[in-house]
Amino acid sequence: MTKKEITQLSYEIVGCAITVHKALGPGLLESVYEKCLREELLFNGYHVESQRTVQLKYRDILISTELRLDLIVNDLIIIEVKSVENLLPVHEAQLLTYMSLLEKPQGLLINFYTDNITKSVRPLVNEYFKNLMP
């Protein structure tokens, strides 16, 4: 996988989020947007997992946790769905932690409580992305 391929996939995912947002508008629960975005991604041929459990390693021990990410697409990009008036630093921190724990190169923080998804999406990358070929 290259940076260009990850970026293209991210762009396509945002397109699916725009489709969902245009159909539903703002103001619904995060769980509704998550389910609809999952269906839109599946409809467009992507492999999607929802509510995947995130395990972590502590002192060389693999620990099961109650951490669950919203969506992961093609086992590459983690999506954290929000429906809040303002995104907070903790939302980005949560997504960056999931990306690190699962060693995924990119995450998308998508807030559906907006009039324009494009302006509210926050793409995040980490060292796994930086180490990919262009």
Side-chain angles (χ1 to χ4, degrees), residues 48-72:
V48 183
E49 290 180 69
S50 58
Q51 294 300 312
R52 181 169 165 185
T53 301
V54 179
Q55 295 184 332
L56 61 91
K57 190 179 271 189
Y58 179 74
R59 294 184 177 243
D60 293 325
I61 300 168
L62 194 58
I63 298 177
S64 294
T65 68
E66 296 300 316
L67 300 174
R68 292 187 184 276
L69 57 84
D70 290 339
L71 301 168
I72 185 164

Side-chain angles (χ1 to χ4, degrees), residues 52-56 69 71-72 75-76 78 96-105 126 128:
R52 181 169 165 185
T53 301
V54 179
Q55 295 184 332
L56 61 91
L69 57 84
L71 301 168
I72 185 164
D75 204 34
L76 291 169
I78 298 171
L96 287 167
T97 298
Y98 288 164
M99 291 164 57
S100 177
L101 290 172
L102 293 173
E103 299 179 0
K104 302 303 175 195
N126 58 18
Y128 300 105

Side-chain angles (χ1 to χ4, degrees), residues 105-129:
Q106 187 166 40
L108 293 172
L109 184 56
I110 303 176
N111 185 14
F112 282 88
Y113 190 79
T114 182
D115 61 348
N116 187 331
I117 285 286
T118 307
K119 291 180 182 177
S120 71
V121 170
R122 292 193 189 165
L124 303 175
V125 296
N126 58 18
E127 68 276 3
Y128 300 105
F129 182 85

